[in-house]
Amino acid sequence: MEPLSPWQTGFRGRCPRCGEGRLYSGFLKVADGCGYCGLKYGFENAGDGAVPFLILIIGGIGVGLGAWVMLAFATAVWVPILIAVPVVSALTLILLPKTKGLLIALQYVNQASDTGTDSYNEF
Ligand SMILES: [Zn+2]
C-alpha cells in the first residue's frame, strides 16, 4: 500500500499510517498510539525539531513585516513591534503542532530512526 502523504496525515495532526487517528493527546503531547489502526507512536523522535524551522520562517516574516510597516509608514519603533508580536505568536501557535506532526509523519514514511531498526518492528 502506498504510504499516505505526510501533509495529509502529520500536518493535519493525524496518524501517519492511516490518517484517521489523532496524533496528539494534548497541544503538543504525542499520544501513545493511534486509536484507529493501533500504530504505536513510540518511534516518534521529532522532539523540538520543528522549532528551528519555525524560528527561521516565522522570524523572517515577523522581521520583514515589522521593517515594512516601519519604513512604509514612517512609524515609531513600537508600532511594528505591536503588530509583529501578535502575528508571530499566532503563527507559532498555529504552525508548531502542524510542523511537528509533519516531521513525525516524515519520520514514519522514511522509517528514519536514530535508535536502529528495532523500533520499526511494530510497523
Ligand atoms: Zn492510525
Side-chain angles (χ1 to χ4, degrees):
M1 189 176 99
E2 184 76 15
L4 296 172
S5 163
W7 293 97
Q8 294 174 330
T9 58
F11 193 75
R12 291 175 45 236
R14 296 296 170 183
C15 167
R17 181 164 66 186
C18 68
E20 298 291 335
R22 301 177 74 87
L23 187 57
Y24 299 112
S25 60
F27 179 62
L28 282 176
K29 183 173 179 3
V30 178
D32 292 334
C34 175
Y36 192 81
C37 72
L39 174 68
K40 298 291 180 211
Y41 298 148
F43 66 89
E44 179 273 317
N45 193 22
D48 295 331
V51 173
F53 292 113
L54 294 179
I55 287 173
L56 292 172
I57 295 167
I58 298 173
I61 292 171
V63 169
L65 178 68
W68 177 75
V69 166
M70 200 165 98
L71 295 174
F73 302 104
T75 64
V77 172
W78 60 268
V79 174
I81 293 173
L82 202 67
I83 294 170
V85 166
V87 170
V88 167
S89 301
L91 283 175
T92 301
L93 291 175
I94 292 167
L95 290 177
L96 191 53
K98 292 179 176 299
T99 308
K100 182 174 180 176
L102 179 64
L103 291 181
I104 293 170
L106 282 169
Q107 188 179 0
Y108 174 79
V109 168
N110 295 299
Q111 299 193 359
S113 172
D114 60 1
T115 58
T117 56
D118 290 347
S119 61
Y120 287 92
N121 290 337
E122 297 172 351
F123 284 11

